[in-house]
Amino acid sequence: MALSNVVETPASGFNFENVCRNVALEGLLQGGQTKAPKPMKTGTTIAGVLCKNGVVLGADTRATSGEVVADKMCAKIHYISPNIYCCGAGTAADTEKTTDLLSSNLTIFSMNSGRNPRVVMAVNILQDMLFRYRGQIGASLILGGVDCTGNHLYKVGPYGSIDNVPYLAMGSGDLAALGILEDRFKADMEMEEAKELVRDAIHSGIMSDLGSGNNIDICVITKQGVDYIRPYQESEYKDKRQRRYKYRPGTTSILTEKIVPLELEVVQETVQRMDTA
Amino acid sequence: MFATQVYGDNGKMKEYHYTGPVEHRFSPYSFNGGTVLAVAGEDFAIVASDTRLSEGYSIHSRDSPKCYKLTDTTVIGCSGFHGDCLTLTKIIDARLKMYKHSNNKCMTSGAIAAMLSTILYGRRFFPYYVYNIIGGLDEEGKGAVYSFDPVGSYQRDTYKAGGSASAMLQPLLDNQIGFKNMEGVQHLPLSQEKAVQLVKDVFISAAERDVYTGDALRICIVTKDGIKEETVPLRKD
C-alpha cells in the first residue's frame, strides 16, 4: 500500500549538486578575501553498552567550534523513536539533521504500520543516506534500541559503514573511553553496573580529550521504557569566582535615544534561565 | 571532509594510482596551547599562566607552568610552541649571566625587554613561535609589563594577555583594569589583593570556554620583597 511511498527510494546514483556549488562558492569567497564558515563540530565522547535488560547510551555535553567551547550543555543523545535513541559525533548540524530526518521517517512508518520501528530499519535508512552522500555528511552515530527481536547496539560511520557490537565508543575521545570499556565490559551486565561503566568511559574521555567536557548524559533503554537522565553527572567544576561582576544601570553610555511605543498586551510570559557559569 | 580530496581541480575524480612525487609538508612548529597574563600595579607586578601543555586534542602534561623566573624582580611568561619556549628561556638565562659577569649588576626589567626584542628579531626569518610577556618592577620600583609578538615588537603596558585565550581575556581586562566602555565608575587604583582576585576569576572564565586552558593556574607576584608563587586549581576537563 502506501508503505512503499513512506520511505522514498531516492534517485539512483550519487547526487553531487552541492559539491559543485560548494567549489564555486569557495572560489567566490576566496576572491572576496573571506573564508567559508567552518561547521561546528562536536569533538565528542559518546559510548554505548549492551546490558542484560537493555541498552545504555552515554555522551558528554561539550560542543566546540575550533578551540572555543560553543555550547557547554548540548544534547548529543537524540530521540529517534520511543524505543530507539542515537548518540551523534562529528559535525553538529549533520548529526542533528540526520537524526531528525530519520526520526520523522520512522514516525510515519509507525503510524502506517502500527508498530514500533525495529533498530535494523533505522540503521539501514541511515546507512543508505550516509553512503549516498559519500562521507560529505560528517555524522558518526551510535544507535541503540530495544525492539521485539531484542536489544541492539549499532555503530554507523560517516561513509555509511555499520557495525553491530556489544559495546563501543566514538568521537574524538573514543580511544580514552574504549580503554575503560575494553577493561571492564562483561556480557550480560546488570543495569546499574552498565550505567557506571558508561559513566566512567565518558568521564575518561572528558578528562583525556580536550574536545569533550562538562556534564555526562545517560540514556537507558529497556523493554519497559526509556530513562533519559540529563545530566547524569554534573561537572564538578562550578562557578568559584571570588568577585561579582555586575554593572550598575547607566554604566554603558547612551549616545542617541529613539523611543517607538508598541501596542502590545502580555498573553503569556515564560522565563528561561541561562547557564551563566 | 576526506571525500573532497578525491576531486581534483577540474572536478573529475583523481586517479587512485601513484602519479608522481607527492610533497609532504613537515611543519617545524606545533602549537602547545596555554595562556599567560601580566598585570602591573603601583608597586607590584603579577604574571600568571595556566599549567596545561597540550597538542591537538591530547594533553601532554597538567603541570607545566609557563612563568619562568629570570631575576629577583622579573618574571617572563611564554606560551606557544613549547620547544621554542624552553630554548628561548635558556638563551635569556645565559645572556643574563653574561651581563651580570660583564657589568657587575643584574639586568633591569626594561633592559631584559629590550634584549629580548633583539633576540627575537635575530630570528626574523625562522621565528621563535612564542608569545612573551614580561612582568616585573622597573628601576623606580613601579610595576612594569612588556608584551611581545613572536618577532620582537614590544611595548610597555599596564596589563596584557597572551596565548590561546588572549582574545577572551584581553577585553575583560580592558574593562576591569582599564575601565574602558564604562561611564560614571570610580577609577580606583588597583590593589594587589584585588588584582590577584581578578586574575583568578579571569582564568576561571578562560578555562570554561577555551579548550587549551585549564588544569591549574600559577600566579607569580613580584614585589620589592621578592617573588611569591601561588597555585590555584582550574577545570581539568
Side-chain angles (χ1 to χ4, degrees):
Chain A
M1 191 220 109
L3 221 74
S4 52
N5 304 348
V6 162
V7 183
E8 259 185 14
T9 358
S12 58
F14 302 129
N15 182 347
F16 284 104
E17 290 166 2
N18 282 346
V19 174
C20 307
R21 178 206 69 181
N22 287 347
V23 166
L25 269 178
E26 275 289 310
L28 268 173
L29 288 174
Q30 240 41 302
Q33 300 285 312
T34 43
K35 287 224 108 157
K38 263 190 97 164
M40 182 168 93
K41 304 194 98 212
T42 50
T44 297
T45 308
I46 47 177
V49 156
L50 276 180
C51 60
K52 195 148 72 172
N53 304 324
V55 185
V56 181
L57 299 173
D60 74 305
T61 60
R62 174 181 285 181
T64 50
S65 186
E67 63 179 46
V68 177
V69 175
D71 191 349
K72 295 192 273 194
M73 193 58 179
C74 85
K76 298 186 190 180
I77 306 184
H78 308 282
Y79 165 87
I80 305 289
S81 76
N83 59 329
I84 306 175
Y85 275 72
C86 176
C87 304
T91 308
D94 287 341
T95 56
E96 277 285 334
K97 284 301 175 197
T98 309
T99 47
D100 267 352
L101 208 56
L102 177 65
S103 174
S104 307
N105 275 333
L106 289 182
T107 313
I108 296 174
F109 164 79
S110 290
M111 287 185 197
N112 254 306
S113 64
R115 297 186 172 97
N116 261 344
R118 298 196 191 179
V119 183
V120 279
M121 183 176 182
V123 169
N124 279 323
I125 296 174
L126 269 180
Q127 175 188 40
D128 201 39
M129 180 180 161
L130 292 175
F131 181 71
R132 195 163 16 109
Y133 284 95
R134 284 289 255 118
Q136 303 280 11
I137 297 184
S140 309
L141 306 163
I142 294 184
L143 223 91
V146 175
D147 58 28
C148 54
T149 51
N151 318 332
H152 301 278
L153 187 64
Y154 281 92
K155 160 177 157 168
V156 185
Y159 286 80
S161 59
I162 51 174
D163 239 328
N164 185 2
V165 276
Y167 63 92
L168 70 132
M170 291 185 94
S172 57
D174 61 352
L175 291 176
L178 266 175
I180 304 286
L181 290 174
E182 291 283 3
D183 187 32
R184 286 165 33 194
F185 176 79
K186 293 186 294 290
D188 281 334
M189 275 193 298
E190 292 297 333
M191 185 61 68
E192 283 309 312
E193 205 188 331
K195 271 156 75 169
E196 276 310 301
L197 178 60
V198 171
R199 184 221 82 89
D200 286 342
I202 303 289
H203 184 73
S204 149
I206 284 176
M207 297 306 274
S208 318
D209 176 44
L210 295 178
S212 317
N214 298 88
N215 310 323
I216 302 177
D217 289 346
I218 296 258
C219 183
V220 182
I221 311 171
T222 54
K223 231 185 171 62
Q224 287 76 34
V226 171
D227 191 12
Y228 189 164
I229 314 167
R230 173 176 156 82
Y232 181 72
Q233 182 181 294
E234 286 220 336
S235 166
E236 64 228 55
Y237 310 107
K238 274 284 149 173
D239 185 3
K240 290 195 210 90
R241 288 185 193 90
Q242 300 180 335
R243 289 174 56 205
R244 311 257 77 206
Y245 296 91
K246 281 205 107 63
Y247 298 104
R248 241 184 354 94
T251 307
T252 310
S253 54
I254 299 174
L255 300 177
T256 51
E257 198 172 309
K258 179 177 169 189
I259 302 176
V260 177
L262 290 171
E263 312 289 313
L264 290 175
E265 63 174 78
V266 178
V267 176
Q268 190 194 32
E269 186 178 306
T270 37
V271 175
Q272 191 178 34
R273 299 214 146 254
M274 254 177 76
D275 174 23
T276 49
Chain B
M1 288 304 309
F2 310 125
T4 45
Q5 292 161 10
V6 167
Y7 281 79
D9 286 331
N10 58 355
K12 294 218 167 69
M13 286 190 63
K14 279 201 239 170
E15 308 294 344
Y16 276 103
H17 54 267
Y18 178 64
T19 44
V22 181
E23 188 183 10
H24 294 289
R25 299 235 78 138
F26 161 70
S27 171
Y29 298 116
S30 110
F31 183 60
N32 295 115
T35 309
V36 277
L37 191 153
V39 177
E42 189 54 47
D43 57 351
F44 66 93
I46 297 174
V47 180
S49 78
D50 74 321
T51 61
R52 173 176 283 176
L53 194 71
S54 48
E55 188 165 352
Y57 273 131
S58 313
I59 300 178
H60 280 314
S61 166
R62 293 195 198 272
D63 186 21
S64 168
K66 293 158 190 69
C67 323
Y68 301 93
K69 179 177 153 211
L70 297 178
T71 66
D72 281 331
T73 54
T74 319
V75 175
I76 188 172
C78 317
S79 75
F81 172 41
H82 193 60
D84 278 347
C85 294
L86 292 175
T87 306
L88 190 61
T89 44
K90 281 195 188 120
I91 289 178
I92 298 174
D93 276 336
R95 293 288 295 266
L96 282 174
K97 273 205 191 97
M98 281 157 61
Y99 183 97
K100 181 114 190 270
H101 290 148
S102 319
N103 305 86
N104 205 19
K105 67 174 180 132
C106 273
M107 277 186 99
T108 59
S109 294
I112 298 177
M115 178 185 74
L116 181 56
S117 170
T118 321
I119 294 175
L120 291 173
Y121 199 78
R123 289 270 296 248
R124 171 69 179 82
F125 298 109
F126 184 12
Y128 290 107
Y129 182 178
V130 191
Y131 293 93
N132 296 293
I133 306 185
I134 291 182
L137 301 175
D138 64 7
E139 288 102 336
E140 296 159 23
K142 288 207 177 74
V145 165
Y146 297 91
S147 63
F148 294 76
D149 80 345
V151 277
S153 155
Y154 81 108
Q155 68 179 37
R156 184 168 171 175
D157 283 313
T158 321
Y159 54 87
K160 187 79 175 157
S164 63
S166 59
M168 290 183 207
L169 300 185
Q170 190 65 29
L172 189 49
L173 295 177
D174 283 337
N175 179 260
Q176 292 292 315
I177 305 181
F179 303 107
K180 301 269 170 68
N181 299 107
M182 290 207 290
E183 248 192 41
V185 179
Q186 239 188 335
H187 285 15
L188 296 162
L190 194 65
S191 72
Q192 185 175 318
E193 193 192 311
K194 196 158 151 236
V196 172
Q197 273 181 346
L198 182 64
V199 165
K200 288 180 186 166
D201 287 349
V202 138
F203 264 92
I204 291 174
S205 298
E208 287 282 326
R209 289 287 176 174
D210 181 32
V211 302
Y212 294 124
T213 304
D215 290 327
L217 166 66
R218 176 73 66 91
I219 307 181
C220 301
I221 307 169
V222 187
T223 52
K224 64 177 183 346
D225 303 320
I227 300 180
K228 199 162 62 102
E229 282 187 12
E230 212 182 307
T231 309
V232 169
L234 290 175
R235 289 187 82 104
K236 290 187 164 55
D237 61 4

